[in-house]
């Protein structure tokens, strides 16, 4: 007779922090120095923040490289009271680490990820795989499925993509993204940009902007030239932000979704305006 094991539910502290132990071996490095080497990390979800972070037992952290922060970032990270500066290669990185006030997480330290906040540790690994931006959420799923749907993309009334061979990417909590073969995209209507982003689920993306004169946000098209293995089907294909273009699937015009990406596109365009 076998016994089926079920995962323990995420625990929630009185401060509203969700947390659960992770079985992954996690390491964090910066400037070639391993600051975190933990086989007992804890995943933590802060209230109102859609992605998790890691906290680590203090004994699995190079605490000798830390000092109480000279200018603590009060009011951040769910009431955290104690922040630490990190010294690596003769340089102090301010507010690189902190503790949570929750009793459940006593004795644990969390660290900033430079790819997400612009400060902190810049290389992270789960087992032997490098991960980017933030830990992958065990409750989030990403599926890239080849499809026979007819997908039409228009910008300001101009057809820029028309395909019957898309790859549909389904990601928990986000609108479906439609990845289109390059031969089915009017690349002459787009220009490549220097913008790039990293995603812990898909990899590093490159971007294009619309060449037309309409008031269209910059960087509305992207592609993963070397995606992570889990979404290999989107390699080299182009996707358009549903928030900024008109997409028709099998004859049905999709409503533009309201997401934080739409706000970010508008803000980025405003920053680049003359």
């Amino acid at each position: 007779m076998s016994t089926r094991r079920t995962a323990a539910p995420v625990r929630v502290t009185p401060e509203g922090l969700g947390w659960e132990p992770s079985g992954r071996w996690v390491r964090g490095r910066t400037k070639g120095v391993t600051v975190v080497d933990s086989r007992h990390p804890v995943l933590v979800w802060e209230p109102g923040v859609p992605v998790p972070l890691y906290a680590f037992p203090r004994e699995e952290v190079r605490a000798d490289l830390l000092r109480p922060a000279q200018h603590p970032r009060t009011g951040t990270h769910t009431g955290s009271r104690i922040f630490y500066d990190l010294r690596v290669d003769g340089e102090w990185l301010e507010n690189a680490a902190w503790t949570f006030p929750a009793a459940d997480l006593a004795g644990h330290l969390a660290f900033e990820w430079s790819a997400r906040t612009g400060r902190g540790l810049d290389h992270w690994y789960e087992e032997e795989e490098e991960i980017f931006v933030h830990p992958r959420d065990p409750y989030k799923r990403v599926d890239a499925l080849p499809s026979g749907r007819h997908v039409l993309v228009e910008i300001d009334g101009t057809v820029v993509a028309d395909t019957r061979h898309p790859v549909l990417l389904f990601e928990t909590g986000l609108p479906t993204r439609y990845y289109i073969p390059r031969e089915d995209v009017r690349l002459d209507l787009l220009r490549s940009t220097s913008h790039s982003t990293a995603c812990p689920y898909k990899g590093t993306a490159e971007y294009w902007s619309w060449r037309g004169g309409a008031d269209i946000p910059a960087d509305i098209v992207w592609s993963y030239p070397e995606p992570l293995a889990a979404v290999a089907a989107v390699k080299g294909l182009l996707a358009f932000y549903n928030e900024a273009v008109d997409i028709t699937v099998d004859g049905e015009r999709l409503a533009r979704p309201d997401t934080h990406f739409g706000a970010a596109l508008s803000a980025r365009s405003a920053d680049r305006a003359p």
Side-chain angles (χ1 to χ4, degrees):
M1 179 178 176
S2 62
T3 301
R4 183 180 177 185
R5 295 184 61 189
T6 57
V10 174
R11 286 163 256 189
V12 180
T13 74
E15 297 80 8
L17 293 161
W19 69 278
E20 68 176 27
S22 170
R24 304 188 182 201
W25 173 27
V26 177
R27 284 155 292 156
R29 297 174 180 168
T30 192
K31 301 181 183 299
V33 176
T34 298
V35 179
V36 176
D37 189 339
S38 176
R39 286 171 170 78
H40 306 91
V42 174
L43 278 167
V44 181
W45 289 264
E46 295 186 274
V49 180
V51 298
L53 51 80
Y54 277 124
F56 310 96
R58 186 179 289 268
E59 59 269 21
E60 296 181 340
V61 168
R62 285 285 306 274
D64 60 300
L65 301 177
L66 300 175
R67 73 177 183 191
Q70 302 298 290
H71 306 285
R73 296 175 60 87
T74 58
T76 62
H77 295 301
T78 315
S80 300
R81 301 185 186 92
I82 303 176
F83 288 81
Y84 296 90
D85 298 333
L86 171 68
R87 183 177 177 84
V88 178
D89 195 25
E91 178 184 354
W92 284 104
L93 304 179
E94 291 193 343
N95 297 290
W98 72 92
T99 62
F100 287 111
D104 289 355
L105 298 173
H108 287 70
L109 286 164
F111 284 81
E112 299 286 4
W113 293 41
S114 63
R116 181 166 179 78
T117 64
R119 63 185 188 280
L121 308 189
D122 50 19
H123 292 283
W124 289 91
Y125 302 85
E126 291 177 345
E127 302 301 330
E128 298 300 332
E129 181 179 344
E130 186 167 9
I131 56 175
F132 307 94
V133 187
H134 60 78
R136 287 173 284 204
D137 191 325
Y139 300 101
K140 187 169 188 176
R141 185 181 178 99
V142 180
D143 294 301
L145 305 180
S147 173
R149 297 192 188 215
H150 182 201
V151 177
L152 191 74
V153 181
E154 297 173 82
I155 298 178
D156 194 35
T158 299
V159 174
V160 293
D162 187 345
T163 189
R164 294 183 182 273
H165 306 284
V167 171
L168 274 57
L169 190 135
F170 302 93
E171 185 170 352
T172 304
L174 293 177
T176 303
R177 301 301 189 187
Y178 299 88
Y179 284 77
I180 300 173
R182 292 188 180 220
E183 59 267 25
D184 294 333
V185 177
R186 289 282 308 275
L187 291 173
D188 60 303
L189 300 177
L190 307 173
R191 61 175 177 80
S192 62
T193 75
S194 60
H195 185 62
S196 68
T197 58
C199 170
Y201 306 101
K202 297 183 286 292
T204 300
E206 57 188 9
Y207 284 78
W208 290 259
S209 290
W210 166 243
R211 284 185 179 273
D215 186 20
I216 304 298
D219 305 316
I220 60 170
V221 186
W222 73 91
S223 179
Y224 290 95
E226 297 294 335
L228 299 179
V231 293
V234 306
K235 181 175 181 176
L237 307 187
L238 275 68
F240 294 75
Y241 274 112
N242 312 40
E243 295 86 343
V245 304
D246 294 313
I247 298 179
T248 301
V249 179
D250 291 338
E252 179 183 352
R253 176 69 63 87
L254 304 182
R256 293 190 182 184
D258 182 13
T259 72
H260 67 281
F261 289 108
L265 283 170
S266 297
R268 198 156 64 233
S269 293
D271 289 341
R272 295 184 182 184

